[in-house]
Amino acid sequence: MEPKGRVICLVGYMGSGKSSVGKKLADRLGYAFEDTDELIVAKDGRSIPDIFRQEGEPFFRELEHALLKSLVTRKDSGMVLATGGGIVMDVRNRPLLKELGTVVYLRADAKALYDRVRGDEGRPLLNVEDRLKTMRDMLTVRGPVYEECADIIIDTDGLTPDETVDAVLGRLGM
Ligand code: S3P
């Protein structure tokens, strides 16, 4: 498909490579790279785990929504936007992602995602007893939503970040 506008939004579960792939993709296109989590942290002054711990998830979701809304003003500039894994679960965010540009879902199975976030304590929703089960359960709910939001879906299992970038660019004819 032709890219829709000048923004590429990467969506997908934690560990799907949105940030690492996004940076490389932005470099290849000469676009700016932004990451919703990083922008939230820069603005709030606290880490994501601290925001979750001190304020709770609903407060974080409001920050995330307000930030996404503010980014729409930048939709005409070239940008790759890596989004937090839960962004699609707020229904208000779905039309905003579409308005920004092309939505790309970096899909991977639960076990591959689990291996990629191994040892990472920076994700509050994954600080649970049975992490793999939690990830499987969340993916069952979120997977169809990512798919519904996406203009294109890239199956990243077995792909390096560079190969994933090639796949995105190939699908968009860029
Ligand atoms: C979340 C994903 C995280 C971060 C927060 C919540 C989620 O971002 O926004 O911890 O609900 O999936 P990454 O997907 O970049 O890890």
Side-chain angles (χ1 to χ4, degrees):
M1 69 170 277
E2 292 270 302
K4 296 195 302 182
R6 288 180 48 79
V7 177
I8 296 175
C9 301
L10 300 180
V11 302
Y13 197 75
M14 294 175 265
S16 60
K18 291 163 292 180
S19 301
S20 51
V21 169
K23 280 180 196 147
K24 286 173 181 286
L25 185 59
D27 277 352
R28 287 272 291 274
L29 291 168
Y31 282 10
F33 171 75
E34 297 290 2
D35 181 310
T36 58
D37 286 343
E38 279 176 17
L39 292 170
I40 290 167
V41 169
K43 203 158 181 210
D44 185 84
R46 288 175 288 184
S47 68
I48 304 277
D50 280 351
I51 298 173
F52 268 73
R53 197 166 37 238
Q54 294 169 15
E55 311 285 354
E57 183 175 351
F59 179 90
F60 172 78
R61 295 301 173 197
E62 285 306 317
L63 295 183
E64 191 173 50
H65 171 66
L67 175 82
L68 188 66
K69 214 163 141 187
S70 74
L71 286 171
V72 174
T73 57
R74 289 177 58 183
K75 76 177 163 102
D76 295 326
S77 59
M79 174 169 66
V80 176
L81 179 67
T83 62
I87 208 158
V88 297
M89 302 312 289
D90 183 332
V91 291
R92 299 173 300 171
N93 292 336
R94 298 176 196 167
L96 292 174
L97 291 167
K98 286 235 174 294
E99 193 182 341
L100 271 164
T102 313
V103 182
V104 177
Y105 172 27
L106 300 182
R107 185 164 64 183
D109 74 16
K111 184 60 174 58
L113 294 165
Y114 174 79
D115 289 339
R116 288 201 216 140
V117 298
R118 193 181 287 274
D120 187 337
E121 300 303 323
R123 292 174 167 106
L125 295 178
L126 297 182
N127 291 335
V128 291
E129 185 110 341
D130 189 343
R131 189 183 263 200
L132 182 57
K133 180 176 185 312
T134 298
M135 293 177 74
R136 285 207 169 105
D137 291 347
M138 285 176 83
L139 263 183
T140 302
V141 176
R142 288 183 177 186
V145 183
Y146 294 131
E147 285 169 12
E148 192 194 305
C149 289
D151 295 302
I152 62 172
I153 299 173
I154 305 290
D155 280 305
T156 64
D157 290 333
L159 298 185
T160 65
D162 283 308
E163 287 165 346
T164 306
V165 170
D166 288 338
V168 174
L169 292 172
R171 288 283 291 281
L172 293 176
M174 296 174 90

